[in-house]
C-alpha cells in the first residue's frame, strides 16, 4: 500500500472530551515530509479555548467521571483492548511516522510500532500490580505508604520518537489512574492524533485522554500554568525544561522532565576494534543522531586513536542517505530545515574552534538530497572540553572524538558536560567496564553495546541537566503515608 493512502485529505482534528473537534478559530498548520520538505497534510491548532476545554474534561473525568472510580483491573482491560487495536493498525502508524519524521520505515515498523503495542501490554500488567508498603515501627504502630495518581497530567512530547514515546508515557499515565492531556511536537503530531482514535475505539471514557496539537508556547504554557493540571511531564530540550520549571513556580506543580544529552562513549584499547567501530558509528548516526541518548562524544584510548578514527571514517562513508521507505537507505533525513540549520551552525563552530574535520561537514550536492534535510555523518577529531561542540547537544549525525591516556582521564572527560543522560563503555575487561560505568554521572550506561533493548522495563533517568524526576509509572504517582497507632490512649505524655 502507498503510505500516502493512509493520509487524511481533511485536516486532522483535535481530540477533546471523547470527541474529534475543530478549534473555534479553525486555524491549521502544515504537516511536512522532511525528505522532500513537502506538505502532505494539515492539522488543527488548538488555541486557548480548546486547552481550557481539555483541562476541564480531564479534570471532570478524574474527579467525577467513571475513570476516577474505576478499579485498576478495569483500566488494565481497557489498555489491553487499545493495544489490540493498535496492533491491527501498526502498518498505518509506521507509515505515518515515517512520512512525518523522515525516519527509517523498518525501524518505525519493526521496533517502534512493536514497542508501542508492547507499552499497552506492559502497563496493562503494571496497573494490576500497583502496591505500597506497610512499615512496622513498633508493636503498636505501622506506617502505610500508598501510591496515588496525581490527577490530571499534561504530557508534552518531542518529535524524535513520537509514537513509541507517546505510547509509553500515556500508558503509564493511565495505568497509574491519571487522566491525560497530550501535546505532541508541532513537527510530529499525527501519530498522537491517530492514537486518539485508538483510545476512542477501545472505549476509554470521555475526557480520560485528550490530544491537543499546536504551539508549545500556547498549549504547553497553559498546561504548565493551569491550577487544574496536577502534573506536567515534558520530554524535550533542556532549555524548554528550564522554561517549564520557571513557568510552574506559581502553582508549585509536580514537574517531570526528560531532557537532552551529550553522551560519552568510551573505547578502551583492548576491544575488538572493528566491532567497536560499528557500535560507535551506530551510536551517533541512528535516526541521524536525533536520539536523546546518542553517543555523541567518542572518547578513545590514545594507543588506538588514529586507527579507530580511520576505520570509523570508512564506516561513515558507507552510509547511504535517502528516504526512510527505501530499504537501501542507512542515513535518514533530519526532521526539519530549521533543525538542520542549527546542526550546520554547530558544524561551522566546530571548524572555527579548531576541531579537526575528518569527514562530512559539507552539504550534499545531489538535488534529491538538497530537497530534504540531510546532513552527512560528520567526524570531528581532537575535540577538547572547552569547545562548543563538546559541550552542547547538536542532535544530528555529528561526532566529537577525544583521546585519553588513563582510565581516570576517560572518566573525567565523560563527566565534563552539564548533561547526564547516557553513555557507553567498550572493553573486554568486565571489571573495568563495570567500574567505569559506575563512575559516569548518567542515568543509563551501555557496556559493550549501545542503546537499550528494554527501556520500558528499566527506564533511565536523566542526571544533571538531562532531567528531573523518576521514570516509568512511578513518575505519574504520588505517595501518601498514613501513620497508624493501634494502642488505646497512647498519647506520649
Ligand atoms: P523541544 O523543542 O524542547 O520541544 C519539546 C516539546 O515542548 C514540544 O512539544 C514543544 O512544542 C513543547 N514546548 C515548546 N515550548 C514550550 C513551552 N514554552 N512550554 C511548554 N512546552 C513547550 O524539544 P524537541 O526539539 O521537540 O526534542 C528534541 C529534544 O528532546 C532533544 O534535546 C532531546 O535530547 C530531547 N529528548 C529527550 C529524551 C529523554 O528521554 N531524555 C527523549 C527524547 C528527546 P512545539 O513543538 O510546538 O514547539
Amino acid at each position: 500500500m502507498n503510505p500516502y493512502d493512509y493520509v487524511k485529505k481533511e485536516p486532522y482534528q483535535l481530540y477533546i472530551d471523547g470527541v474529534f473537534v475543530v478549534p473555534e478559530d479553525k486555524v491549521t498548520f502544515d504537516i511536512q515530509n522532511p525528505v522532500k520538505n513537502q506538505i502532505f497534510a494539515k492539522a488543527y491548532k488548538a488555541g486557548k479555548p480548546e486547552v481550557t476545554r481539555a483541562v476541564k474534561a480531564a479534570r471532570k473525568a478524574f474527579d467525577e467521571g467513571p475513570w476516577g472510580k474505576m478499579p485498576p483491573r478495569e483500566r488494565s482491560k481497557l489498555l489491553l483492548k487499545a493495544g489490540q487495536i493498535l496492533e491491527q493498525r501498526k502498518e498505518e502508524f509506521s507509515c505515518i511516522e515515517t512520512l512525518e519524521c523522515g525516519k527509517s520505515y523498518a525501524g518505525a515498523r519493526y521496533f517502534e510500532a512493536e514497542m508501542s503495542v508492547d507499552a499497552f501490554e506492559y502497563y496493562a500488567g503494571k496497573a494490576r500490580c500497583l502496591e505500597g508498603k506497610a512499615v512496622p515501627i513498633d508493636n503498636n504502630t505501622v506506617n502505610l505508604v500508598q501510591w496515588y495518581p496525581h490527577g490530571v497530567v499534561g504530557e508534552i512530547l518531542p518529535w524524535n520518537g513520537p509514537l513509541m514515546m507517546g505510547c509509553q508515557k500515556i500508558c503509564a499515565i493511565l495505568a497509574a489512574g491519571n487522566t491525560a492531556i497530550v501535546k505532541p511536537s508541532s513537527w510530529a503530531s499525527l501519530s498522537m492524533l491517530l492514537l486518539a482514535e485508538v483510545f476512542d475505539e477501545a472505549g476509554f471514557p470521555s475526557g480520560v485522554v485528550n490530544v491537543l496539537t499546536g504551539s508549545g508556547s500556547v498549549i504547553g504554557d497553559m498546561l504548565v500554568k493551569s491550577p487544574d493540571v496536577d502534573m506536567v511531564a515534558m520530554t524535550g530540550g533542556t532549555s524548554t525544561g528550564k522554561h517549564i520549571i520557571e513557568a510552574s513556580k506559581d502553582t508549585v506543580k509536580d514537574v517531570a522532565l526528560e531532557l537532552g544529552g551529550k553522551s560519552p562513549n568510551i573505547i578502551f584499547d583492548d576491544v575488538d576494534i572493528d566491532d567497536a567501530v560499528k557500535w560507535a558509528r551506530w551510536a551517533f548516526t541512528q535516526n541521524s543522531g536525533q536520539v536523546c541518548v546518542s553517543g555523541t562524544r567518542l572518547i578513545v584510548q590514545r594507543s588506538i586513536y588514529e586507527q579507530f578514527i580511520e576505520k570509523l571514517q570508512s564506516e561513515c562513508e558507507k552510509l547511504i542517505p535517502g528516504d526512510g521507505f527505501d530499504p537501501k537507505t542507512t542515513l535518514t533525513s533530519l526532521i526539519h530545515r530549521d533543525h538542520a540549520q542549527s546542526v550546520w551552525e554547530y558544524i561551522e563552530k566546530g571548524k572555527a574552534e579548531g576541531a579537526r574535520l575528518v569527514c562530512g561537514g559539507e552539504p550534499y550536492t545531489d538535488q534529491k538530497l538538497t530537497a530534504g534535510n540531510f546532513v552527512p555523518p560528520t567526524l570531528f577529531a581532537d575535540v577538547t572540553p572547552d569547545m562548543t561542540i563538546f559541550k552542547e547537544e547538536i542532535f544530528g549525525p555529528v561526532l566529537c572524538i577525544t583521546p585519553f591516556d588513563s582510565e581516570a582521564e576517560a572518566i573525567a572527560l565523560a563527566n565534563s558536560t552539564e548533561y547526564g543522560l547516557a553513555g557507553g563503555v567498550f572493553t573486554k575487561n568486565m571489571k573495568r567496564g563495570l567500574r567505569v560505568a559506575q563512575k559516569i554521572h548518567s542515568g543509563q550506561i551501555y557496556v559493550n553495546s549501545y542503546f537499550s533493548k528494554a527501556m520500558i522495563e528499566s527506564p533511565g533517568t536523566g542526571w544533571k541537566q538531562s532531567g528531573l524526576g523518576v521514570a516509568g509509572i512511578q513518575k505519574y504517582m504520588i505517595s501518601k503515608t498514613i501513620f497508624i497507632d493501634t494502642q488505646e490512649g497512647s498519647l506520649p505524655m
Side-chain angles (χ1 to χ4, degrees):
M1 183 152 170
N2 182 336
Y4 285 98
D5 290 346
Y6 289 117
V7 178
K8 293 185 203 296
K9 305 270 175 297
E10 62 286 357
Y12 286 75
Q13 299 184 1
L14 314 171
Y15 185 63
I16 304 173
D17 205 8
V19 184
F20 286 91
V21 293
V22 171
E24 279 180 19
D25 60 11
K26 299 187 176 54
V27 174
T28 59
F29 64 103
D30 296 334
I31 307 290
Q32 282 196 8
N33 166 243
V35 178
K36 300 183 186 127
N37 281 316
Q38 269 173 358
I39 298 165
F40 68 93
K42 288 192 182 292
Y44 282 108
K45 232 181 195 180
K48 289 184 177 172
E50 288 71 41
V51 183
T52 305
R53 276 172 66 191
V55 171
K56 215 169 148 187
R59 188 77 267 159
K60 192 168 170 215
F62 183 78
D63 292 338
E64 302 165 30
W67 189 251
K69 304 178 194 92
M70 194 180 280
R73 192 187 329 113
E74 300 303 319
R75 298 204 298 269
S76 171
K77 281 185 191 157
L78 278 174
L79 281 169
L80 281 177
K81 190 161 177 207
Q84 284 154 7
I85 296 167
L86 180 60
E87 169 77 35
Q88 301 302 314
R89 293 178 65 177
K90 275 189 304 199
E91 176 64 13
E92 174 192 357
F93 273 79
S94 308
C95 286
I96 291 291
E97 190 91 331
T98 306
L99 277 177
E100 195 178 14
C101 304
K103 55 175 58 196
S104 143
Y105 164 78
R109 171 66 185 79
Y110 298 105
F111 180 67
E112 297 184 44
E114 298 295 338
M115 289 293 113
S116 302
V117 173
D118 181 61
F120 282 85
E121 294 166 359
Y122 178 80
Y123 281 111
K126 273 277 179 196
R128 303 290 302 270
C129 307
L130 301 174
E131 52 187 32
K133 61 181 176 184
V135 186
I137 302 301
D138 57 33
N139 284 345
N140 302 310
T141 322
V142 64
N143 297 348
L144 281 188
V145 183
Q146 293 179 309
W147 288 90
Y148 288 78
H150 280 276
V152 176
V153 176
E155 180 67 50
I156 304 171
L157 296 168
W159 46 258
N160 61 328
L163 174 63
M164 185 176 76
M165 261 184 275
C167 288
Q168 291 178 342
K169 288 166 192 341
I170 299 167
C171 291
I173 291 171
L174 301 177
N178 302 283
T179 57
I181 302 164
V182 183
K183 191 329 241 172
S185 162
S186 301
W187 288 347
S189 294
L190 296 191
S191 56
M192 288 300 104
L193 291 170
L194 289 182
L195 198 68
E197 296 176 1
V198 170
F199 287 111
D200 197 70
E201 191 184 332
F204 276 77
S206 307
V208 173
V209 179
N210 305 272
V211 181
L212 300 176
T213 44
S215 152
S217 55
V218 175
I219 305 166
D221 206 53
M222 271 184 84
L223 293 176
V224 174
K225 290 181 177 159
S226 168
D228 290 323
V229 175
D230 301 294
M231 178 199 181
V232 164
M234 192 278 292
T235 302
T238 297
S239 61
T240 310
K242 289 180 183 177
H243 184 87
I244 288 177
I245 292 171
E246 183 68 33
S248 65
K249 72 179 190 307
D250 287 341
T251 52
V252 197
K253 148 169 314 148
D254 278 287
V255 169
L257 302 170
E258 296 184 36
L259 306 175
K262 190 75 190 178
S263 299
N265 192 8
I266 301 175
I267 314 284
F268 284 96
D269 65 2
D270 63 346
V271 293
D272 173 330
I273 295 189
D274 290 332
D275 186 55
V277 160
K278 289 196 175 104
W279 277 111
R281 198 276 293 155
W282 173 242
F284 90 99
T285 58
Q286 214 280 86
N287 203 27
S288 255
Q290 302 167 117
V291 181
C292 53
V293 293
S294 287
T296 50
R297 289 184 298 127
L298 192 67
I299 300 173
V300 186
Q301 196 150 13
R302 199 180 298 276
S303 46
I304 56 164
Y305 184 68
E306 292 302 339
Q307 186 191 2
F308 203 94
I309 292 173
E310 204 177 299
K311 285 180 181 258
L312 186 56
Q313 174 180 0
S314 145
E315 276 297 310
C316 289
E317 287 171 353
K318 287 184 202 157
L319 291 177
I320 303 166
D323 193 325
F325 283 107
D326 183 344
K328 288 196 290 303
T329 295
T330 45
L331 185 81
T332 49
S333 167
L334 299 197
I335 185 81
H336 197 274
R337 218 171 253 292
D338 292 353
H339 180 55
Q341 182 54 33
S342 138
V343 173
W344 283 115
E345 282 165 19
Y346 277 113
I347 289 174
E348 290 312 312
K349 267 188 202 146
K351 292 179 192 168
E353 291 179 7
R356 168 163 57 109
L357 182 65
V358 177
C359 65
E362 295 298 330
Y364 289 107
T365 48
D366 180 339
Q367 268 188 354
K368 267 196 195 148
L369 300 176
T370 54
N373 312 310
F374 291 90
V375 174
T378 298
L379 298 183
F380 279 112
D382 309 341
V383 179
T384 52
D386 56 319
M387 291 182 188
T388 309
I389 57 169
F390 185 97
K391 293 189 277 197
E392 295 183 14
E393 183 183 48
I394 300 174
F395 224 51
V398 180
L399 183 67
C400 302
I401 315 176
T402 307
F404 73 89
D405 292 301
S406 67
E407 184 178 314
E409 191 190 359
I411 294 164
L413 281 167
N415 289 336
S416 56
T417 72
E418 289 172 340
Y419 292 108
L421 193 58
V425 186
F426 284 79
T427 174
K428 283 194 175 141
N429 176 345
M430 279 309 286
K431 278 191 177 187
R432 174 165 66 185
L434 185 56
R435 188 168 65 234
V436 172
Q438 286 175 328
K439 287 184 182 154
I440 298 176
H441 300 158
S442 291
Q444 50 187 305
I445 308 288
Y446 320 106
V447 180
N448 293 330
S449 69
Y450 210 92
F451 298 123
S452 161
K453 291 180 208 148
M455 281 173 305
I456 200 160
E457 285 85 356
S458 42
T461 49
W463 289 25
K464 303 200 276 186
Q465 296 203 17
S466 287
L468 190 66
V470 296
I473 196 164
Q474 219 63 36
K475 170 171 163 181
Y476 300 106
M477 304 197 86
I478 188 161
S479 74
K480 175 186 288 188
T481 307
I482 303 177
F483 303 93
I484 304 170
D485 188 340
T486 57
Q487 201 178 24
E488 301 291 346
S490 61
L491 194 64
M493 51 190 304

